[in-house]
């Protein structure tokens, strides 16, 4: 029978990642739109469905469900299914010929041509009998309707009988019970992972708890760090990211400014993890206890802030693992343990695991237990240190295993590396990734790069978390250009992506470099730092207004709605975002000049706005709290180092029964 009716082809299924090798990403509460080209030789009427189910976590697994696909023309089909809960979903497409509707289509053409349709009615009767047989175990009433129609269609043809055969109601019932043995199913099954909302929208603030005392001399504690929470909340950040909080090794400990000689008071690099006091599951005694850490997590939650923890899979030579499991580490031919290197850099205070060595099974299992340990302490977000220096297959294994049990766990990839490696890490499961934004300063390169990472196919699996600075990186622009540079880089990061972050001190315009390097002088990576939150020249209010704009405008919560528009000035970038339902629309103009005012004529995207050239609408500029009425296709803007960005919420007018109102 299959050979007689020919083949149904299902091609170009979207979204899918590397032929189904990896899951695409979405957020719980969204729906996944599935598209494909579906066709068959001849003129058969086709039916197609998307089959889907939630596959994990196990306790939320559902049975397979189906949603009908709708034809879009030219053999293109589309359907959506809901991603109601956080977790992994599977989906595929199944399509088959609708034999009865195909038959009725041919019957009508023959009747209209005046043909004798006695034989055709007998064919239809056989199709109805088959459908009735399939209906008997599902709906007895439908089975009777189909059987009675089949009996009538075996009688000599009359106009009334033909009308019965062509009745849409009969076709609807018959099509409800198709012969699915004729169906073609797309293989392999595809996957989508629905993250929680924080995966797509969040503002990160990186903070070293050991500097919480602010005096640069006294080692801070988790309790001291709690005093920072109102400050961080006031800036508008909702994720506080802590570098490693574990005991720090003493062997080859680094001194100030990465000196190879450490004094007795030098605190060392937090990334040199492990000492006699413990390893990756312990906290540094000077910070407090594990109970103190849990209290800090709970305190942060009371301020609406989530704690993200650094996941750095490397050890100091003093780590308990080194003695307990020497088989886990790389060694030189002379038997000495290998220290970490990234030529010309060498990290004398760090040794690396033998990731693919003979003991990898026990090693990988132990490293998985590290994540699960901190999940038990209340951590649901991890910033992963240098994942591109570890096997990608390890991350694929780890992330999937963790998310099978805890689908709400998020992983941020700190991968300043080659583009394909960065993307491969995102494909195997990293929720977010650092990006090259840190070094993109000019209009053309910013637009080109952001269009790449915020549009399909890349945005199906890659979420760029934009950071203008990190403890490792002080870009040249921030070293030389003063507060104007800090303002404009913050504005770009906060509005180009829906997830961004900054390292403590950015709001204070800290830009003192090591001479000739993109690194901080007196880096907090190697010493305690005295932070003066009221330092003259700080841009705290600017950052707070920026984050408030993000919080209040749903359009800025979206990642893949970014669109760039025309500005006649190469030093002014113009772009916008909007929610899928159009209820929130934001336009943004940012000056790329930290030194001098810039003016630009902006070409308004009227079609994108859904506005006419003669329509008047209101805009609310959120950084200065100024409202204006716009009309026409152009607007003039002047941006300065003090106000380098304009963020407009756009409100369209609508006519009500008695007056005009506007959408807000």
């Amino acid at each position: 029978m299959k050979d007689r009716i020919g083949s149904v082809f299902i091609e170009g299924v979207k979204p899918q990642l590397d032929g189904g090798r990896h899951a695409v990403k979405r957020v719980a509460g969204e729906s996944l739109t599935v598209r494909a080209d579906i066709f068959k030789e001849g003129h058969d009427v086709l039916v197609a469905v998307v089959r889907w189910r939630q596959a994990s976590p196990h306790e939320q697994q559902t049975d397979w469900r189906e949603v009908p696909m709708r034809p879009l023309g030219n053999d293109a089909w589309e359907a959506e299914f809901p991603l109601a809960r956080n977790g992994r979903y599977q989906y595929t497409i199944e399509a088959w010929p609708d034999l009865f509707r195909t038959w009725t289509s041919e019957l009508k053409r023959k009747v209209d041509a005046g043909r004798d349709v006695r034989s055709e009615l007998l064919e239809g009767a056989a199709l109805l009998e088959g459908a009735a047989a399939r209906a008997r175990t599902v709906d007895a009433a439908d089975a009777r309707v189909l059987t009675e129609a089949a009996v009538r269609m075996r009688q000599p043809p009359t106009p009334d009988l033909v009308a019965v055969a062509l009745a849409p109601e009969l076709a609807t019932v018959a099509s409800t019970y198709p012969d699915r043995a004729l169906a073609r199913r797309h293989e392999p099954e595809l996957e989508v992972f629905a993250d929680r909302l924080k995966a797509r929208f969040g503002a990160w603030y990186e903070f070293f708890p050991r500097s919480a005392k602010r005096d640069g001399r006294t080692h801070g504690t988790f309790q001291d760090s709690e005093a920072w929470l109102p400050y961080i909340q006031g800036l508008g950040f909702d994720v506080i990211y802590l570098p490693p909080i574990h005991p720090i090794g003493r062997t080859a400990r680094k001194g100030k400014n990465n000196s190879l000689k450490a004094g007795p008071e030098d605190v060392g690099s937090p990334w040199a993890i492990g000492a006699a006091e413990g390893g990756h599951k312990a906290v540094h005694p000077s910070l407090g206890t594990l109970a103190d850490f849990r209290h800090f997590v709970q305190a942060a939650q009371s301020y609406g802030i989530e704690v993200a923890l650094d996941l750095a899979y490397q050890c100091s030579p003093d780590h308990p693992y080194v003695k307990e499991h020497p088989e886990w580490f790389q060694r030189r031919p002379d038997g000495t343990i290998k220290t970490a290197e990234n030529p010309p850099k060498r990290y004398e205070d760090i040794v690396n695991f033998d990731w693919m060595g003979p003991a990898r099974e026990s090693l990988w299992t132990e490293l998985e237990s590290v994540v699960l340990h901190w999940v038990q302490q209340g951590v649901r977000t991890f910033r992963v240190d240098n994942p591109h220096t570890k096997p990608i297959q390890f991350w694929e294994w780890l992330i999937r295993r963790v998310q099978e049990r805890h689908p709400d766990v998020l992983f941020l990839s700190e991968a300043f590396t080659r583009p394909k490696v960065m993307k491969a890490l995102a494909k195997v499961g990293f929720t977010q990734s650092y990006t090259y934004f840190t070094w993109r300063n000019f209009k053309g390169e910013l637009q080109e790069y952001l269009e790449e990472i915020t549009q399909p196919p890349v945005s199906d699996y890659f979420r760029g978390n934009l950071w203008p600075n990190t403890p490792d990186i002080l870009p040249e622009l921030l070293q030389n250009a003063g507060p104007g540079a800090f303002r404009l880089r913050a504005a770009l990061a906060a509005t180009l992506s829906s997830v961004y972050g900054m390292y403590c001190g950015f709001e204070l315009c800290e830009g003192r470099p090591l001479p000739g390097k993109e690194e901080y002088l007196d880096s907090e990576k190697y010493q305690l730092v005295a932070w003066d939150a009221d330092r003259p020249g700080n841009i705290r209010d600017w950052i707070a207004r920026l984050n408030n704009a993000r919080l209040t405008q749903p359009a800025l919560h979206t990642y893949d709605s970014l669109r760039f528009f025309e500005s006649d000035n190469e030093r002014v970038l113009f772009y916008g975002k909007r929610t899928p339902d159009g209820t929130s629309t934001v336009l943004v103009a940012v000056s790329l000049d930290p030194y001098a005012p810039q003016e630009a004529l902006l070409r308004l995207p009227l079609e994108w706005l859904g506005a006419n050239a003669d329509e008047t609408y209101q805009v609310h500029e959120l950084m200065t709290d100024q409202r204006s009425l716009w009309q026409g296709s152009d607007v003039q803007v002047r941006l300065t180092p003090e106000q380098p960005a304009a963020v407009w919420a756009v409100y369209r007018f609508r006519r009500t029964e008695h007056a005009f109102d506007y959408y807000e």
Side-chain angles (χ1 to χ4, degrees), residues 12-30:
V13 179
K14 296 179 181 179
Q16 64 171 294
L17 186 54
D18 291 351
R21 174 70 177 81
H22 308 293
V24 298
K25 294 184 176 72
R26 294 294 187 271
V27 168
E30 297 179 339

Side-chain angles (χ1 to χ4, degrees), residues 254-323:
K254 296 297 185 69
K256 295 180 179 180
N257 288 315
N258 204 18
S259 168
L260 295 179
K261 277 196 169 185
E265 302 302 318
D266 284 327
V267 291
S269 167
W271 283 271
I273 297 171
E277 299 88 349
H280 283 74
K281 297 177 184 177
V283 298
H284 195 298
S286 296
L287 291 173
T289 66
L290 202 58
D292 293 332
F293 174 74
R294 289 193 295 268
H295 191 277
F296 175 75
V297 171
Q298 294 168 358
Q301 291 172 348
S302 71
Y303 284 94
I305 299 172
E306 180 168 334
V307 173
L309 199 60
D310 198 285
L311 187 64
Y313 282 144
Q314 61 225 15
C315 301
S316 94
D318 305 324
H319 197 296
Y321 286 159
V322 176
K323 289 183 178 180

Side-chain angles (χ1 to χ4, degrees), residues 187-257:
E187 294 180 351
E189 291 171 355
L190 305 174
E191 291 187 336
V192 54
F193 194 88
D195 288 295
R196 59 190 175 95
L197 179 60
K198 190 70 76 177
R200 193 190 67 209
F201 180 68
W204 291 52
Y205 185 86
E206 184 172 0
F207 166 76
F208 284 69
R210 68 187 188 183
S211 293
K213 275 292 194 181
R214 302 177 187 250
D215 62 10
R217 301 183 306 275
T218 310
H219 198 293
T221 66
F222 292 125
Q223 186 174 358
D224 297 326
S225 300
E226 291 184 20
W228 278 70
L229 294 173
Y231 172 80
I232 295 170
Q233 181 195 49
L235 289 173
F237 292 97
D238 54 16
V239 178
I240 180 171
Y241 153 47
L242 308 184
I245 59 173
H246 317 296
I248 297 172
R250 291 168 177 80
T251 298
R253 176 175 285 192
K254 296 297 185 69
K256 295 180 179 180
N257 288 315

Side-chain angles (χ1 to χ4, degrees), residues 121-200:
L121 289 172
L122 295 177
E123 291 176 5
L127 293 174
L128 290 174
E129 288 163 355
R134 292 186 289 274
R136 287 191 186 102
T137 59
V138 180
D139 191 311
D142 283 351
R144 284 195 300 273
V145 169
L146 295 169
T147 300
E148 291 169 0
V151 170
R152 291 192 63 185
M153 287 169 60
R154 290 191 177 279
Q155 299 172 2
T158 64
D160 288 344
L161 183 55
V162 170
V164 170
L166 295 176
E169 298 81 6
L170 180 60
T172 297
V173 178
S175 297
T176 304
Y177 306 98
D179 184 357
R180 296 285 283 264
L182 308 177
R184 170 69 58 85
R185 186 175 295 176
H186 178 270
E187 294 180 351
E189 291 171 355
L190 305 174
E191 291 187 336
V192 54
F193 194 88
D195 288 295
R196 59 190 175 95
L197 179 60
K198 190 70 76 177
R200 193 190 67 209

Side-chain angles (χ1 to χ4, degrees), residues 36 70 85 123 134 171 197 252 290 370 387 406 417 451 514 627 664:
R70 53 188 174 274
R85 295 179 295 191
E123 291 176 5
R134 292 186 289 274
L197 179 60
L290 202 58
V370 170
H406 303 284
T417 183
E451 285 179 334
L514 278 173
R627 294 178 182 263
E664 182 170 3

